Amino acid sequence: MMSEIRSNSGTGGQNTVRITLRMIGPSPPSSLDVHSPIKVRDLRNLIAANGRFPLENLRLVLQGNVLHDSKYGDDISVHFNNGDTLIVAVKPKPPAKHIQNGFDEDEEELKFQLPECSGWKRRLFIILHDKLKIPDMLLMAIFSLSTKVWAVIIMWFILAPIAHRLDVGPLYILGTGFAIIFLNLGQRQQGDMSAYSIFNEDFRELPGTFNAEQADRDIRAGQF
């Protein structure tokens, strides 16, 4: 037997439609009058309140797609037609932390989350992630670079054909390699020692450095 639930949420100008809720489990289906379109967030709150379900564990599935409250910071709305069926599932509580193996946490860390950024970066992310299906690891590399670095990369590709026409392509690539090395050397703080003794005062070496003199002393001392 199908029960009936009425919705009092929504604003004027929206159509009211009747949808069918099907719970995963032994519970019978029920009907629900909702406004269309309706925000997924409001729909979840309505179903959780009427069914006394835990809101944080409630999952809604429409036509094989899981409904999310928001995407890239924008609320998502869903359109219903009369007679549509919505699958309602309650996610079971996770096991205690001391028996979890941490795999889920590792998977979440590998998923790229777009930080707060400008509109054009968000649109670019939507195109790369949703339409081109670029892996998350590559998205991390793309969006971790600053605008200045991207400007340098674009300029490098613009100048590369010019260097090729002037027959200085190998020098162009070698110069790029040396530039990358020197720009990433960083700066030592006062009192810091270099890993290369030639750059240190009195050619002092870092403790534990293994060199030819150390090897010669060990051989003469019979430690090899």
Side-chain angles (χ1 to χ4, degrees):
M1 183 176 179
M2 182 178 294
S3 59
E4 181 177 334
I5 305 172
R6 290 190 177 274
S7 167
N8 294 323
S9 63
T11 58
Q14 295 175 318
N15 297 324
T16 301
V17 298
R18 176 164 295 187
I19 62 175
T20 301
L21 303 181
R22 292 190 178 275
M23 291 289 302
I24 295 180
S27 301
S30 61
S31 63
L32 175 65
D33 293 335
V34 297
H35 296 279
S36 180
I38 183 173
K39 291 182 178 180
V40 176
R41 189 187 308 276
D42 296 337
L43 180 61
R44 290 180 69 248
N45 290 331
L46 175 64
I47 296 175
N50 284 287
R52 297 181 180 179
F53 302 125
L55 183 62
E56 63 277 4
N57 293 337
L58 190 63
R59 297 293 182 269
L60 305 178
V61 181
L62 179 64
Q63 298 178 354
N65 298 315
V66 178
L67 302 181
H68 299 281
D69 292 348
S70 61
K71 189 173 185 180
Y72 312 128
D74 299 326
D75 288 336
I76 298 177
S77 297
V78 60
H79 294 261
F80 287 108
N81 297 317
N82 277 308
D84 282 348
T85 299
L86 183 68
I87 304 298
V88 180
V90 178
K91 182 180 178 182
K93 293 183 179 180
K97 289 185 177 180
H98 67 276
I99 62 175
Q100 293 183 13
N101 54 18
F103 289 152
D104 293 338
E105 296 180 0
D106 294 339
E107 290 179 0
E108 289 296 327
E109 291 178 357
L110 292 176
K111 293 182 180 179
F112 177 68
Q113 300 293 333
L114 184 67
E116 294 294 331
C117 60
S118 57
W120 71 269
K121 280 189 176 182
R122 179 179 300 178
R123 290 191 293 270
L124 177 61
F125 175 79
I126 293 173
I127 294 173
L128 296 178
H129 184 268
D130 295 348
K131 296 184 178 180
L132 300 182
K133 305 297 181 182
I134 293 181
D136 289 343
M137 295 298 293
L138 185 56
L139 289 175
M140 291 181 188
I142 292 175
F143 285 91
S144 62
L145 300 178
S146 64
T147 305
K148 183 184 296 184
V149 174
W150 275 114
V152 172
I153 293 175
I154 294 173
M155 184 62 65
W156 188 92
F157 280 102
I158 292 175
L159 296 177
I162 299 176
H164 176 70
R165 286 196 297 267
L166 297 177
D167 293 330
V168 292
L171 293 178
Y172 185 72
I173 295 176
L174 288 174
T176 301
F178 283 115
I180 293 175
I181 292 173
F182 283 109
L183 291 176
N184 286 277
L185 287 177
Q187 295 181 353
R188 285 186 292 159
Q189 300 295 328
Q190 185 68 26
D192 289 346
M193 295 179 62
S194 173
Y196 301 97
S197 60
I198 191 174
F199 296 112
N200 297 327
E201 186 177 356
D202 297 329
F203 301 101
R204 288 183 298 173
E205 298 178 348
L206 292 177
T209 301
F210 186 79
N211 52 29
E213 294 181 0
Q214 180 68 33
D216 182 67
R217 287 196 298 267
D218 291 341
I219 292 174
R220 293 178 184 274
Q223 296 185 14
F224 276 117

